[in-house]
């Protein structure tokens, strides 16, 4: 019986930045699939609102997770406590049902490679078929 691959999404955020990270199927190398900062992907006056109100940015991140919940099977949130609670408070039921872990740390500015020690216990081992 083949092992089912579960799509894990790890969200690394702080009050102004979010990064969506997925482990590669072949070797679990962590790779950012996208990065968002207030100046990217948001319009003028809304940028100002994010810079002045981190809760608006956290709500936006939760909205993205809600909107794209079908694209992941499991979700891990990594953010400082205040941002973590704000994002969590705005997740709808389908996204909450996929939430398998939270980590209260500010890792928004570290590289994908340096994330591994912090998130490795949520990443499932890659199962390779043995060659005979």
């Amino acid at each position: 019986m083949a092992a089912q691959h579960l799509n894990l999404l790890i969200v690394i955020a702080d009050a102004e930045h979010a990064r969506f990270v997925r482990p590669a199927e072949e070797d679990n190398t962590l790779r950012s699939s996208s990065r968002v900062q207030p100046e990217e992907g948001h319009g003028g006056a809304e940028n100002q609102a994010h810079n002045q109100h981190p809760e608006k940015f956290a709500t936006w991140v939760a909205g993205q997770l809600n909107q794209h919940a079908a694209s992941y099977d499991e979700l891990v949130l990594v953010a400082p406590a205040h941002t973590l609670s704000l994002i969590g408070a705005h997740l709808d039921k389908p996204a909450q049902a996929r939430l398998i872990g939270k980590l209260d740390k500010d890792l928004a500015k570290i590289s994908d490679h340096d994330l591994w020690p912090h998130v490795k216990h949520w990443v499932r081992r890659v199962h390779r078929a043995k060659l005979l």
Side-chain angles (χ1 to χ4, degrees), residues 3 25 124-129:
E25 274 188 57
R124 285 184 168 67
R125 283 185 53 196
V126 173
H127 298 284
R128 294 188 177 97

Side-chain angles (χ1 to χ4, degrees), residues 78-90:
V78 179
H82 184 68
T83 303
L84 192 62
S85 68
L86 287 170
I87 293 171
H90 290 93

Side-chain angles (χ1 to χ4, degrees), residues 8 12-13 18 20 37 43 46 65 97 99 107 110 116 118 122-123 129:
L8 173 64
I12 312 294
F20 301 90
Q37 297 176 354
E46 194 174 346
L65 294 171
L99 184 62
L107 302 177
I110 71 169
W116 183 252
H118 303 284
W122 288 297
V123 180

